[in-house]
């Protein structure tokens, strides 16, 4: 339970959540730990529900035995100009799991059934959890990178380790950027198909056609722009980023673009979960018991997780 931004999570015994009309009650099996959880914890996202149960990569079992995934997008109004034009990810009144709705760092959770996703067979609960945000948002980012052949991934964490596999499957070439000096991360990236891996302070051996930025560091936007070929796109995949430093127009000239990716649509979720077993995406997870949620978050913050951190609940 998060009582207020800036506090550590507190173990709490609370009444069982009661599903309202249209909601499903889930016994949580596993919940992925995402960088967005840290942004909520640190107060970098405004007005969270308080007190709050974090977690928006929930794998749970419904009372009828179905295994369902609960992603970040928890509810939309269905009738704003965004929802009615296939862009529910931008809904004016969207509610997000583990932010404005209680999430999955818990034994039980309720979720609007319309926003739950079926978990593909062949994935264990813990292996499936990172597909629900790291995978989904990563996949949407990859799509918005267009048909780029030479793809740079800045920040090789939970999302990038999944995106690299999908990108290779699509025949793209992957260039991975880690924190300078993180040779373990660079080796991990090469194992997942990156043909080159280096620190974010290094120049790739070739120009890139697109770059996806997973690290929440604004200065990487200018670094990535400088590595892009003409017509290339830099996609910012995170929900929060430090300020982007000013830069000469020359870096943007040549029809380069900078854009963000916000949230996901249900269609993204269904598409990605159909593709993941075909690749097949293999997630590397480091599991923690629910009671060690604070430890998992701090290891993620420190960059000590290779792959994805997951809370194994039951
Ligand atoms: Zn809407
Ligand atoms: Zn997330």
């Amino acid at each position: 339970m998060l009582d207020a931004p800036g506090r550590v999570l507190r173990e709490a015994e609370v009444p069982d959540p009661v599903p309202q009309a249209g909601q499903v009650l889930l016994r949580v099996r596993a919940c992925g730990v995402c960088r967005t959880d840290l942004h909520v914890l640190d107060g970098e996202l405004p007005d969270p529900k308080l007190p709050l149960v974090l977690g928006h990569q929930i794998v749970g079992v419904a009372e009828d035995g179905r295994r369902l995934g609960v992603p970040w997008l928890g509810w939309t109004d269905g009738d704003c100009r965004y929802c009615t034009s296939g862009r529910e990810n931008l809904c004016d009144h969207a509610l997000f799991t583990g932010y404005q709705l209680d999430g999955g760092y818990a034994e039980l959770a309720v979720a609007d059934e319309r926003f739950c996703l079926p978990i593909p067979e062949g994935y264990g609960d813990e292996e499936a959890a990172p597909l629900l945000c790291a995978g989904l948002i990563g996949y949407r980012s990859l799509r918005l990178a267009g048909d780029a052949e030479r793809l740079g991934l800045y920040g090789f964490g939970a999302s990038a380790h999944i995106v690299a596999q999908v990108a290779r499957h699509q025949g793209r070439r992957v260039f991975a950027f880690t924190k300078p000096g993180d040779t373990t991360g660079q080796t991990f990236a090469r194992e997942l198909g990156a043909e080159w891996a280096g620190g974010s302070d290094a120049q790739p051996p070739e120009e890139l056609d697109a770059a996806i930025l997973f690290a929440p560091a604004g200065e990487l936007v200018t670094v990535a722009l400088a590595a892009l070929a003409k017509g290339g796109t830099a996609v910012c995949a995170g929900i929060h980023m430090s300020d982007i430093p000013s830069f000469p127009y020359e870096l943007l000239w040549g029809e380069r673009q900078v854009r963000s990716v916000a949230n996901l649509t249900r269609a993204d979720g269904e598409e990605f979960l159909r593709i993941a077993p075909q690749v097949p995406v293999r997630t590397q997870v480091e599991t923690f018991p629910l009671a060690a949620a604070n430890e998992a978050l701090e290891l993620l913050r420190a960059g000590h997780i290779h792959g994805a951190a997951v809370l194994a609940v039951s």
Side-chain angles (χ1 to χ4, degrees):
M1 192 73 84
L2 176 68
D3 290 316
R7 305 257 190 99
V8 294
L9 303 182
R10 167 176 66 87
E11 196 172 328
E13 198 61 54
V14 297
D16 289 356
V18 178
Q20 306 297 307
Q23 287 186 324
V24 59
L25 176 67
L26 298 168
R27 187 156 289 283
V28 179
R29 291 271 191 81
C31 186
V33 177
C34 177
R35 180 162 289 280
T36 299
D37 301 340
L38 281 175
H39 295 314
V40 175
L41 188 84
D42 293 343
E44 288 166 334
L45 301 184
D47 307 321
K49 170 191 177 291
L50 289 174
L52 171 71
V53 179
L54 282 176
H56 56 267
Q57 305 186 82
I58 309 172
V59 176
V61 176
E63 287 168 295
D64 62 9
R66 281 176 302 156
R67 192 167 67 139
L68 296 174
V70 184
W72 171 244
L73 187 71
W75 186 86
T76 57
D77 58 17
D79 59 16
C80 72
R81 60 187 300 160
Y82 299 104
C83 283
T84 53
S85 58
R87 297 179 292 165
E88 65 182 2
N89 60 308
L90 302 177
C91 176
D92 280 331
H93 303 110
L95 296 175
F96 298 104
T97 311
Y99 176 30
Q100 290 138 338
L101 302 166
D102 279 329
Y105 287 22
E107 292 163 301
L108 294 171
V110 291
D112 187 318
E113 194 167 353
R114 297 169 301 166
F115 292 84
C116 293
L117 297 163
I119 300 292
E121 286 173 33
Y123 285 93
D125 299 322
E126 285 122 42
E127 287 69 33
L131 300 175
L132 293 165
C133 182
L136 277 181
I137 302 282
Y139 180 68
R140 185 175 173 87
S141 308
L142 181 62
R143 192 147 52 70
L144 297 184
D147 59 4
E149 187 204 348
R150 297 167 297 181
L151 179 72
L153 301 175
Y154 287 78
F156 205 86
S159 247
H161 102 285
I162 294 174
V163 170
Q165 298 175 55
V166 180
R168 289 295 302 132
H169 178 71
Q170 294 174 335
R172 304 176 197 248
R173 299 168 59 200
V174 174
F175 300 78
F177 298 82
T178 67
K179 277 193 184 141
D182 180 8
T183 51
T184 313
Q186 290 159 19
T187 304
F188 181 51
R190 281 190 213 98
E191 284 166 7
L192 290 172
E195 68 178 63
W196 176 92
S200 55
D201 55 348
Q203 276 297 317
E206 295 180 40
E207 291 184 311
L208 304 173
D209 301 307
I212 305 177
L213 283 70
F214 294 110
E219 63 272 18
L220 287 179
V221 173
T222 54
V223 171
L225 273 175
L228 287 180
K230 285 181 280 190
T233 303
V235 182
C236 303
I239 193 166
H240 174 83
M241 193 178 241
S242 56
D243 286 355
I244 300 168
S246 72
F247 55 88
Y249 178 56
E250 190 188 328
L251 281 184
L252 193 62
W253 172 248
E255 302 197 340
R256 293 173 181 88
Q257 305 182 57
V258 178
R259 67 168 303 164
S260 65
V261 168
N263 315 315
L264 70 142
T265 65
R266 282 172 277 183
D268 291 330
E270 282 150 21
E271 186 177 321
F272 174 66
L273 292 176
R274 200 165 50 240
I275 288 168
Q278 293 167 11
V279 171
V281 171
R282 295 280 170 240
T283 55
Q284 178 162 324
V285 299
E286 199 168 321
T287 60
F288 299 83
L290 184 55
N294 284 313
E295 185 191 338
L297 285 163
E298 290 315 311
L299 287 169
L300 176 63
R301 186 197 299 285
H304 291 161
I305 305 279
H306 285 113
V310 175
L311 302 178
V313 181
S314 57

